[in-house]
Amino acid sequence: MLIRLLLIAIAATALAQTESFSAIGLSALPLAILMGITYGNVARPANSGRDATVLAFSQQKLLRLGIILFGFNLSFQQIAAVGYQAILLDMIVITVVLSMGIFIGIRLFGLPREIAILTSVGSAICGAAAIMATEPVIRAKEQDVTVAVATVVLFGTLAMFSYPVIYSFAGMEPSLFGIYIGSTVHEVAQAVAAGQSIGGEAMQNAVVAKLIRVMLLAPVVIALGSLYFRRAAGNRERQPVPIPWFVFGFIATAALNSVLTLPTLVLEVLQLASQLSLAIAMAALGIKTRWATIRQAGIKPLALSLVLFVVLMLGGFGLNLLFYG
């Protein structure tokens, strides 16, 4: 099973580098989960015994390793270059999208709490990776993760086609439009692709603004875990406070990347290891997923992702005008 997961991850990573997929910002992570779902539904592996152990290891340990190593994509110098406004902007975007998503998902759409949280986290921060990182601290079911990933990937991909159109009417400088992209787009690869469609300066600012959002995954996951602990305590269930140590590892690697000048080859190897680890985790989730799980979820999770998509695009545009207009 490990070899099959690795092959899916390598194939997804390679496809993500091609012009066709990079142009629409479809990264290795959503590709890996789609390929895993396809394989899991066509081949229908038993996923028992040793295979089940490998799948669980991939979804848990390799996911955490990938997130820790992802810190080598970011440095504090990059954050300083875009200024404190970008950090404050990202914090507001995450807070608004997360709060609205959870409220609307639970109160208006009547979704299970876990699906509402996972979908909101994926939209607010960094797509599939954020969903997978949040899953253990809120003790979500695998089908909840699958549904959230599927809807966020869909609207994250659709968002890519909107940025060039918005730019033609926005009247923003490329550098500022790049910050708008990074503060609202779902995935890192989508920030790269959208920024490239505008220009080099836009792409650079888009990536940095996006990576700041990724870094904010750490306090969000910790806060969600704490809230769930208090909720469990209120229900008189004694459960330990879930501490996502891997998010501290992510911050530590970003700090290390800020103070050390690593050789280019070493940095590229670490970044590739992060990508492959995350892609393997996504492939494992996909293999365990059945199409029926997504169909059974109905249209409500899709509607929630649509609402958050609109909030990100329109609300984010208004916030960027307020900060930089």
Side-chain angles (χ1 to χ4, degrees):
M1 177 59 74
L2 183 58
I3 294 177
R4 281 172 280 178
L5 289 172
L6 183 59
L7 288 174
I8 291 174
I10 291 173
T13 302
L15 283 174
Q17 304 303 315
T18 63
E19 185 177 351
S20 299
F21 287 101
S22 63
I24 60 172
L26 199 55
S27 70
L29 304 192
L31 282 173
I33 192 171
L34 289 173
M35 293 170 70
I37 290 174
T38 302
Y39 171 76
N41 282 270
V42 173
R44 289 188 173 272
N47 297 341
S48 59
R50 186 177 178 181
D51 285 352
T53 302
V54 171
L55 290 171
F57 174 82
S58 300
Q59 282 186 256
Q60 297 169 14
K61 306 299 184 183
L62 288 184
L63 172 72
R64 288 160 175 74
L65 175 63
I67 291 174
I68 290 171
L69 293 178
F70 195 81
F72 286 107
N73 289 277
L74 180 66
S75 70
F76 296 151
Q77 290 87 342
Q78 290 174 309
I79 296 175
V82 297
Y84 74 91
Q85 295 97 330
I87 300 175
L88 183 58
L89 177 63
D90 280 344
M91 291 175 65
I92 294 173
V93 168
I94 290 174
T95 302
V96 170
V97 172
L98 195 57
S99 302
M100 285 187 62
I102 294 173
F103 177 82
I104 293 172
I106 296 173
R107 296 297 178 88
L108 298 185
F109 292 153
L111 287 169
R113 184 180 300 270
E114 291 74 18
I115 291 182
I117 291 175
L118 293 175
T119 302
S120 302
V121 166
S123 298
I125 305 177
C126 56
I131 292 170
M132 294 285 283
T134 306
E135 175 264 328
V137 300
I138 67 169
R139 300 178 176 88
K141 299 175 183 177
E142 284 190 3
Q143 54 263 39
D144 297 336
V145 176
T146 302
V147 170
V149 168
T151 57
V152 168
V153 166
L154 172 62
F155 283 101
T157 303
L158 289 177
M160 286 304 306
F161 298 100
S162 306
Y163 288 99
V165 176
I166 295 173
Y167 178 68
S168 63
F169 295 100
M172 282 186 181
E173 295 179 6
S175 59
L176 298 182
F177 195 81
I179 294 175
Y180 164 58
I181 291 172
S183 62
T184 57
V185 75
H186 292 64
E187 299 267 0
V188 175
Q190 292 162 355
V192 173
Q196 283 177 335
S197 69
I198 309 303
E201 191 177 9
M203 184 186 73
Q204 181 178 353
N205 281 2
V207 172
V208 175
K210 179 62 195 174
L211 289 176
I212 292 172
R213 279 171 71 198
V214 175
M215 178 168 276
L216 291 172
L217 173 65
V220 169
V221 171
I222 293 168
L224 288 172
S226 176
L227 289 171
Y228 251 70
F229 170 76
R230 286 204 295 268
R231 181 169 172 264
N235 293 333
R236 296 182 180 179
E237 297 176 10
R238 291 189 176 183
Q239 298 180 2
V241 179
I243 301 176
W245 295 108
F246 61 93
V247 298
F248 293 105
F250 168 76
I251 295 174
T253 53
L256 190 64
N257 193 41
S258 304
V259 298
L260 296 180
T261 304
L262 296 174
T264 303
L265 179 59
V266 172
L267 198 59
E268 289 178 351
V269 169
L270 290 170
Q271 291 171 350
L272 178 61
S274 171
Q275 186 83 322
L276 284 176
S277 297
L278 291 172
I280 290 173
M282 297 301 162
L285 174 64
I287 287 176
K288 296 169 71 175
T289 299
R290 296 295 176 261
W291 291 116
T293 302
I294 299 175
R295 289 198 301 269
Q296 288 172 0
I299 197 172
K300 290 182 179 180
L302 200 65
L304 176 59
S305 285
L306 173 61
V307 170
L308 297 180
F309 164 74
V310 173
V311 170
L312 280 167
M313 298 292 288
L314 299 183
F317 184 76
L319 279 173
N320 273 269
L321 287 180
L322 181 64
F323 272 76
Y324 298 103

